[in-house]
Amino acid sequence: MDAEEARQTDVKLRRMGIPWVVAPVDPEAPAGKWGVYDSVEPSTRKPITPDVLGDVMAKLRATRPVPSGKRQAPTRGFALLPKQD
């Protein structure tokens, strides 16, 4: 995945409370490919495969829908009161 896809994946993981890390495959080349890992430390981290990531995201989405991120603006209007005699 590229940097933009990585940013979107990171947002989704955080919203769902998953502690995985989205980072460049090569820490020296952040403009290159990115992946999902189990920890921050490049020397000890293990990659989360796309299949596992997809399965986990699908299961979590089924139990807890992801908020759309779009908030509806407050509705404004007028309250019309009945005529008083």
Side-chain angles (χ1 to χ4, degrees):
M1 79 179 95
D2 64 17
E4 179 58 24
E5 291 171 320
R7 185 189 65 76
Q8 293 172 2
T9 300
D10 186 54
V11 168
K12 289 176 185 175
L13 290 172
R14 291 185 189 284
R15 280 186 187 161
M16 294 181 162
I18 299 173
W20 292 339
V21 177
V22 181
V25 173
D26 179 3
E28 301 297 321
K33 291 185 178 182
W34 287 61
V36 179
Y37 301 95
D38 65 344
S39 71
V40 177
E41 185 58 44
S43 62
T44 60
R45 68 185 183 194
K46 295 177 185 162
I48 306 298
T49 64
D51 294 339
V52 171
L53 178 61
D55 289 346
V56 168
M57 297 288 271
K59 287 178 184 174
L60 283 173
R61 223 176 281 126
T63 59
R64 294 184 294 167
V66 177
S68 67
K70 296 180 183 178
R71 294 187 177 175
Q72 185 175 351
T75 304
R76 296 182 181 178
F78 296 92
L80 300 175
L81 301 174
K83 291 183 181 180
Q84 291 187 0
D85 295 326

